[in-house]
Amino acid sequence: LEFRRVLFRSSGPDTDWESIMQGMATAIMSTRDYVYMHTPYFVPNDVIINAITVASLSGIDVRLMIPVRSDSRLSDACTFSYLGEMLEADVKVYQYTRGFLHSKAIVIDDFISIVGSANLDERSFNQNFEANAFIYDKKTSTTLKELFLNDIHNCRQLRIEDWDNRKRSQKIKESFARLFSPII
């Protein structure tokens, strides 16, 4: 007999509570070993940024996988505006090179899996109608962890040295795009 506990969270403009974001932040802050995240759009709010950076700076193995290119140049530039903070906090950032990565999953400590429609972005947390499942199950988590680790073979890892040496024009584009982060 297997025991699985699943908690569903939703978010949208019809509620004052950002349930998905709060659940994600709580799960990330409670990690002991690792946090692996797949997301096509990474435009986090301050709560998620703090949860991720504190976990990583505490010695947790934090990995973020994003596509090399999404379906929006503005979103890409905005996403890139946040990656410097992640790299400085020793988050391992991977760019998926085999097409558009549309997976939206977080796996934590072989115990918690978060899957659903929400991206790691402000729109998913409070503007769009989204639903995510928080699955408390070792089998599900280890399966998602294996999928993440297999996907790394189709990625290139961003390094802080390369990041610091990108073109000034790229940095300006990213800074400009970040101004639109609440609506992207």
Side-chain angles (χ1 to χ4, degrees), residues 36 38 65 96 103 107 140-154:
Y36 297 165
H38 276 113
M65 190 177 299
Y96 187 76
S103 175
V107 61
T140 302
S141 294
T142 54
T143 299
L144 285 173
K145 177 183 177 182
E146 288 171 16
L147 290 170
F148 184 94
L149 294 173
N150 286 336
D151 281 344
I152 284 179
H153 300 296
N154 296 308

Side-chain angles (χ1 to χ4, degrees), residues 35-55:
V35 177
Y36 297 165
M37 301 170 283
H38 276 113
T39 188
Y41 307 105
F42 184 71
V43 186
N45 62 15
D46 289 341
V47 174
I48 295 296
I49 290 170
N50 289 335
I52 291 170
T53 56
V54 167

Side-chain angles (χ1 to χ4, degrees), residues 78-90:
C78 195
T79 290
F80 274 72
S81 76
Y82 290 93
L83 297 183
E85 294 170 72
M86 297 297 108
L87 292 167
E88 288 172 6
D90 204 28

Side-chain angles (χ1 to χ4, degrees), residues 102-165:
H102 206 264
S103 175
K104 300 164 189 164
I106 300 173
V107 61
I108 299 170
D109 291 347
D110 292 346
F111 179 66
I112 301 171
S113 303
I114 305 169
V115 295
S117 63
N119 296 295
L120 285 168
D121 67 6
E122 190 65 32
R123 282 187 67 161
S124 288
F125 297 148
N126 64 27
Q127 294 174 24
N128 296 343
F129 290 100
E130 306 283 3
N132 276 44
F134 289 70
I135 306 162
Y136 300 86
D137 174 62
K138 183 174 181 149
K139 185 177 178 182
T140 302
S141 294
T142 54
T143 299
L144 285 173
K145 177 183 177 182
E146 288 171 16
L147 290 170
F148 184 94
L149 294 173
N150 286 336
D151 281 344
I152 284 179
H153 300 296
N154 296 308
C155 292
R156 66 175 177 228
Q157 185 174 359
L158 289 179
R159 306 231 183 256
I160 192 76
E161 307 82 41
D162 300 326
W163 184 255
D164 289 341
N165 293 321

